[in-house]
Amino acid sequence: MIAYLDTCTILNLIQINYNDEYIKHLKRLFVEIKLTPKVFEELERNKYDNVIDDSQKMILNGIIYNNLKNYIDFEDFKKELEFTKKHNPGIFKENGESYSISQSIMNSRYGKEDFGEHLLKTYFISDDAPAKEEFGYFYQINVVGQMINTIDLMTVFWLKQYITKNELIRYCNSLKQLYNKDLNILSIKIKEYKSSFDKEITPKQHIIITKLISMLSDITEEFKNDFYEICNTPEFRVILKKNNDWNALINRIKESQFREKIPYIIKRIKDFKKVYSID
């Protein structure tokens, strides 16, 4: 089997725990792993977007260059690129997802040993839901293989006994946090404020802060409404006046699209517990 990865997949697999554990499992599962040059360009450009601690940058670079640079596929696939553009007008973009789809088609049809040897065996792994929705049917009618996300991948890792059931659930919960860097930064700032000014915080403010910290560490489907409610309380507005740098973070969180992904992740966790009897 062949696996094509896009940029968000790579970063999610690495930044969940900042080690190469999941990359190693990926190598065990697939015969070949491939990255288009476009994906690697995006990786170079965006790799620090969710990094909070500068010490993590060196770890991230080490994992990328030691594990993934050799998987860049420089094959000429201009015909497949034009084919994908032609049959997906208005959808095709100059990005890693569109290029990966094109290159997946080529490799599924022209194998090393036999024509079409990788049909139905070429996987595109992406956490980009719009790309999966837009290209899913195109991928299917060209009998390339399957488009899966990293939660699907973790499920396979669990079924293959590479990871435990608890690790599977932990990945899903961590993914909720990873989708928005600003959530993590705000949580850190609030905890630091609580620790430094605990004696100055009123009982009501203490309740509000504790509730907010809990919300930021365990995102639920009700997060949007609860977050708005807390931010508008008189107690929190008093705290906010003393921490003006929080305003930009809060505004970005309110405008972020990450909330659209949270219900999906929560549903997957519920399904794991129900279908696979995971506690």
Coordinates of all heavy atoms in Angstrom, one line a residue, residues 59 88 131-132 141 163 182 191-192 201 236 258-259 278:
I59 N 12.9 20.0 17.9 CA 12.4 18.6 17.9 C 11.6 18.4 16.6 O 11.8 17.4 15.9 CB 11.4 18.4 19.1 CG1 12.2 18.5 20.4 CG2 10.8 17.0 19.0 CD1 11.3 18.5 21.6
N88 N -11.9 19.0 -12.2 CA -12.3 19.6 -11.0 C -12.2 21.1 -11.0 O -11.6 21.7 -10.2 CB -11.5 19.1 -9.8 CG -11.6 17.6 -9.6 OD1 -12.6 17.2 -8.9 ND2 -10.8 16.8 -10.1
A131 N -11.2 19.3 1.5 CA -10.5 18.6 0.4 C -11.1 17.2 0.3 O -11.3 16.7 -0.9 CB -9.0 18.5 0.7
K132 N -11.4 16.5 1.4 CA -12.0 15.2 1.3 C -13.3 15.2 0.7 O -13.7 14.4 -0.1 CB -12.0 14.6 2.7 CG -12.4 13.1 2.7 CD -12.3 12.5 4.1 CE -12.7 11.0 4.1 NZ -12.5 10.4 5.4
I141 N -14.1 7.4 -8.3 CA -14.4 7.0 -9.6 C -13.1 6.7 -10.4 O -13.1 6.0 -11.4 CB -15.2 8.0 -10.4 CG1 -14.4 9.4 -10.6 CG2 -16.5 8.2 -9.8 CD1 -15.1 10.4 -11.5
I163 N -0.9 0.6 19.0 CA -1.2 1.5 20.1 C -2.4 0.9 20.9 O -3.1 0.0 20.4 CB -1.6 2.9 19.7 CG1 -2.9 2.9 18.8 CG2 -0.5 3.6 18.9 CD1 -3.4 4.3 18.5
D182 N -4.3 29.2 19.6 CA -4.7 30.3 20.5 C -5.4 29.8 21.8 O -5.3 30.4 22.8 CB -5.7 31.3 19.8 CG -5.0 32.0 18.6 OD1 -3.8 32.3 18.8 OD2 -5.6 32.2 17.6
K191 N -3.7 30.4 33.4 CA -3.1 29.6 34.5 C -2.0 30.4 35.1 O -1.9 30.4 36.4 CB -2.6 28.3 34.0 CG -3.7 27.3 33.6 CD -3.1 26.0 33.0 CE -4.1 25.0 32.5 NZ -3.6 23.8 31.9
E192 N -1.2 31.1 34.3 CA -0.2 31.9 34.9 C -0.7 33.1 35.7 O -0.2 33.4 36.8 CB 0.7 32.5 33.8 CG 1.6 31.5 33.1 CD 2.4 32.0 31.9 OE1 2.1 33.2 31.5 OE2 3.3 31.3 31.4
I201 N -7.7 37.5 43.4 CA -8.9 37.1 42.7 C -10.1 36.9 43.6 O -9.9 36.2 44.6 CB -8.6 35.8 41.9 CG1 -7.4 36.0 40.9 CG2 -9.8 35.3 41.2 CD1 -6.9 34.8 40.2
F236 N -15.3 38.4 34.5 CA -14.2 38.2 33.6 C -13.7 39.5 32.9 O -12.6 39.6 32.6 CB -14.6 37.2 32.5 CG -13.5 36.7 31.6 CD1 -12.5 35.9 32.1 CD2 -13.4 37.2 30.3 CE1 -11.5 35.5 31.3 CE2 -12.3 36.8 29.5 CZ -11.4 35.9 30.0
F258 N -12.2 26.1 14.0 CA -11.9 24.9 14.6 C -13.1 24.2 15.3 O -13.2 23.0 15.4 CB -10.8 25.0 15.7 CG -11.4 25.5 17.0 CD1 -11.7 24.6 18.0 CD2 -11.6 26.8 17.3 CE1 -12.2 25.0 19.3 CE2 -12.1 27.2 18.5 CZ -12.4 26.3 19.5
R259 N -14.1 25.0 15.6 CA -15.3 24.5 16.3 C -16.1 23.6 15.4 O -16.8 22.7 15.8 CB -16.2 25.7 16.7 CG -15.6 26.5 17.8 CD -16.6 27.5 18.3 NE -17.1 28.4 17.2 CZ -16.4 29.5 16.9 NH1 -15.4 29.9 17.5 NH2 -16.9 30.3 15.9
I278 N -15.0 0.7 23.9 CA -13.8 1.3 24.5 C -14.4 2.2 25.7 O -15.3 3.0 25.5 CB -13.1 2.2 23.5 CG1 -12.5 1.4 22.4 CG2 -12.0 3.0 24.2 CD1 -11.7 2.1 21.4

